[in-house]
Amino acid sequence: LQVLFISVDSDRDTPEVLKAYLASFHPGIAALTGTPAQIAAAAALFEAPYAKVPAAAGSFTYDHSIKVYLVDAERHRFGSVDLNTEPEARLQSVTRLLGRPAQSG
Amino acid sequence: MQRVLRLWTAAVAALGLAMALLATPSAAGRWDGSYVPNVPVVTQDGKVLRFWDDLIKDKIFVISFFYTSCTQICPLATARLSELQSTLGDAMGRDIFFYTISVDPENDTPARLKTYAEAMQAGPGWLFLTGIPEDIKAIRDKLGDRAKALNEHRNEVLLGNGATGEWQRDNPLSDLPRLGMTIRAMRADWRAERANPPRASEPAPLANTASMHAMFAKACAGCHSIGRGDRVGPDLAGVAERRQTDWLMRFIANPDSLRRQKDPIALALMHKYPTIRMPAMGISEGEALDLLAYIQVQQPKKPTQLSLDALLALTTQDGRPLSASRLAGRPLVIAFGYTHCPMSVQSRCWIGPTCSKNWARRANACRSYSSPSTATEIRPRS
């Protein structure tokens, strides 16, 4: 299993920032950033909506999808889970994802 | 085994005698209670019923003849009834009954019938019947099936409405929707449907596949689905990928010959589907090839593979491009977010069923979230 965290904030999330952020999480997770166009392309792959939202004093936040997208080893979409999914159901989805045998041909 | 057989035959015989003593002759008339024998028959569950009183008199029914060890047309004809059963839905067992009667009552015990019925996925209202040989013979004689040899029995079905005395013959290998409609038309208040047949829900096949569509429906669909799971036999979706084409051609054209040659795949299939063996359907190897092409067109498309190039273009926390080997052969779990997302406004960072204020203003975007088909309406902004 490979967990990827893709930042939608290309302005502030430099590799260094991401590295510091990841120190709080499981070491197997990879964080990714890129140019706005690269991030848009990655988000488009999952049809994951996000948008920059201006905040006070020239700052900004992002609205972004709360979905966590699952892709099986054969690169087929395997649905998604989100924060509204019950923890057991989330675990079940990921377990099924892991249990899906690689198909030949 | 032989002893058990004799025992149940004796039990049925005793019952038959008791019933014969009770029977009262009814007014003469064709295809009514004075014509159709009211002999005892035994179902696949071992229940003893009287043929006229319990099964015919006030029922709408489809009668077919078969025997469990038949390797020729019976399995195909019976599988067609299995398919017909599923098109009749709730009416089965309530308004319409199937009686599949063994012409080999010496060998077809209720237990054997039960195994066969289960292989045919018989639902409520479908009875497989046996009985003492003289009684079964009486039924066959009266219903016009007088063949001597087992494999010469009639493969037509008899449709009837016991209450009105209407009986007719039909062909179980013919067009199933029409057959279903004919059966429903046995009841007066359903006849209106026949005058206005419902439009077929499936789109008509293209002209060039129409003949294969017909052949599949006639020869295969009784036992096999394409992508809807195993039935009497295996699901045929992906069969061309699972097996060699020349093997398929030979097996479809002559399954018995491969079984005789102890072909390992044919034997494995026989082991997996022990009750009903695929009969030879009179399909040539050339036609088999056309059928395989037809199956490939009909089978559900595999989900498209995602191209992960867009991910490989991104940069990791180590400042390097994401390497393809890190993703190779592994399932992926992918989340979007940003490190500056303030916990205090966390609920506003997410676009969820509880849309943030920002998204609520753009109501369309909120709807897009809950409806994946329109999710692409949202263009990611940089």
Side-chain angles (χ1 to χ4, degrees):
Chain A
L1 188 77
Q2 176 64 57
V3 179
L4 301 175
F5 170 73
I6 302 175
S7 172
V8 294
D9 186 356
S10 60
D11 292 329
R12 292 177 298 199
D13 283 340
T14 61
E16 295 74 33
V17 172
L18 289 177
K19 196 167 184 146
Y21 184 71
L22 277 190
S24 319
F25 297 96
H26 189 281
I29 299 175
L32 300 167
T33 188
T35 65
Q38 286 168 342
I39 290 170
L45 193 57
F46 302 99
E47 296 175 356
Y50 68 98
K52 194 169 176 174
V53 180
S59 176
F60 51 88
T61 64
Y62 281 87
D63 281 346
H64 61 83
S65 171
I66 56 164
K67 284 190 184 182
V68 174
Y69 301 90
L70 309 181
V71 176
D72 73 13
E74 302 290 311
R75 302 296 168 253
H76 300 130
R77 286 171 209 277
F78 202 71
S80 64
V81 294
D82 65 43
L83 290 166
N84 298 307
T85 313
E86 292 296 320
E88 302 89 82
R90 271 189 263 169
L91 182 64
Q92 237 173 32
S93 291
V94 176
T95 309
R96 274 194 297 123
L97 174 68
L98 285 172
R100 181 180 253 200
Q103 295 163 348
S104 54
Chain B
M1 183 66 198
Q2 209 50 41
R3 194 180 135 77
V4 173
L5 240 168
R6 236 178 284 124
L7 272 176
W8 84 261
T9 311
V12 175
L15 243 160
L17 185 65
M19 280 175 181
L21 293 172
L22 292 171
T24 49
S26 61
R30 209 165 172 273
W31 299 105
D32 64 7
S34 67
Y35 179 79
V36 179
N38 196 22
V39 293
V41 287
V42 185
T43 72
Q44 71 265 39
D45 293 313
K47 210 166 147 188
V48 179
L49 300 168
R50 282 169 304 174
F51 191 64
W52 166 260
D53 282 347
D54 297 325
L55 300 178
I56 304 294
K57 189 167 70 182
D58 52 0
K59 304 266 194 313
I60 292 174
F61 50 83
V62 177
I63 295 174
S64 66
F65 293 99
F66 91 118
Y67 58 107
T68 60
S69 55
C70 171
T71 55
Q72 296 167 24
I73 201 88
C74 313
L76 180 58
T78 314
R80 292 285 281 179
L81 291 180
S82 168
E83 203 185 350
L84 181 63
Q85 155 191 253
S86 52
T87 69
L88 293 171
D90 290 349
M92 277 301 296
R94 188 187 63 202
D95 308 304
I96 299 167
F97 296 82
F98 289 2
Y99 307 133
T100 296
I101 304 174
S102 172
V103 296
D104 184 18
E106 287 90 347
N107 295 305
D108 283 342
T109 60
R112 278 182 80 160
L113 295 187
K114 191 165 180 73
T115 308
Y116 198 91
E118 279 165 5
M120 285 294 172
Q121 303 180 323
W126 189 355
L127 303 181
F128 286 72
L129 303 172
T130 184
I132 58 174
E134 290 73 22
D135 290 340
I136 297 297
K137 185 169 180 302
I139 294 174
R140 290 178 62 192
D141 281 350
K142 293 284 187 168
L143 302 188
D145 181 43
R146 298 190 179 92
K148 290 276 182 295
L150 279 183
N151 58 6
E152 285 167 3
H153 70 87
R154 288 187 95 124
N155 277 297
E156 287 164 324
V157 290
L158 270 168
L159 318 177
N161 181 338
T164 63
E166 290 171 85
W167 291 69
Q168 64 190 77
R169 292 190 192 281
D170 215 312
N171 179 358
L173 305 181
S174 67
D175 180 57
L176 277 187
R178 184 204 54 78
L179 187 56
M181 217 126 58
T182 309
I183 293 166
R184 285 172 180 278
M186 302 294 301
R187 207 172 101 173
D189 52 333
W190 288 340
R191 237 162 252 187
E193 279 181 44
R194 204 182 188 185
N196 284 311
R199 273 177 192 279
S201 55
E202 284 180 22
L206 296 175
N208 56 348
T209 62
S211 64
M212 281 301 116
H213 189 80
M215 184 183 265
F216 188 88
K218 200 165 173 172
C220 318
C223 296
H224 300 279
S225 82
I226 305 176
R228 291 184 190 166
D230 294 347
R231 291 192 59 251
V232 179
D235 189 340
L236 294 180
V239 72
E241 288 88 54
R242 284 199 298 276
R243 313 259 185 248
Q244 304 272 351
T245 308
D246 66 324
W247 182 90
L248 285 167
M249 286 163 63
R250 284 187 291 138
F251 187 74
I252 295 169
N254 195 346
D256 261 339
S257 132
L258 282 184
R259 283 190 287 252
R260 271 198 306 273
Q261 291 163 29
K262 307 234 180 297
D263 174 87
I265 303 171
L267 291 184
L269 284 169
M270 207 164 95
H271 186 71
K272 191 168 176 197
Y273 301 92
T275 312
I276 317 289
R277 287 179 197 166
M278 176 151 142
M281 231 84 58
I283 296 171
S284 72
E285 291 195 0
E287 286 167 330
L289 199 59
D290 289 343
L291 269 176
L292 289 170
Y294 171 81
I295 290 166
Q296 266 189 309
V297 172
Q298 298 295 314
Q299 69 195 17
K301 302 289 166 283
K302 274 193 176 177
T304 47
Q305 279 195 312
L306 291 173
S307 157
L308 300 181
D309 291 351
L311 298 183
L312 298 174
L314 300 173
T315 306
T316 69
Q317 71 271 20
D318 299 318
R320 290 194 289 269
L322 180 64
S323 75
S325 64
R326 193 153 183 183
L327 307 182
R330 291 181 183 167
L332 307 177
V333 172
I334 297 158
F336 291 87
Y338 64 113
T339 63
H340 286 68
C341 182
M343 291 305 278
S344 59
V345 293
Q346 202 176 41
S347 64
R348 282 178 39 203
C349 291
W350 304 319
I351 305 163
T354 50
C355 259
S356 76
K357 278 183 211 150
N358 294 317
W359 282 91
R361 277 203 297 275
R362 286 166 284 169
N364 189 37
C366 282
R367 275 202 299 279
S368 298
Y369 175 85
S370 51
S371 153
S373 61
T374 58
T376 45
E377 282 172 16
I378 303 179
R379 288 282 150 244
R381 296 187 333 186
S382 47

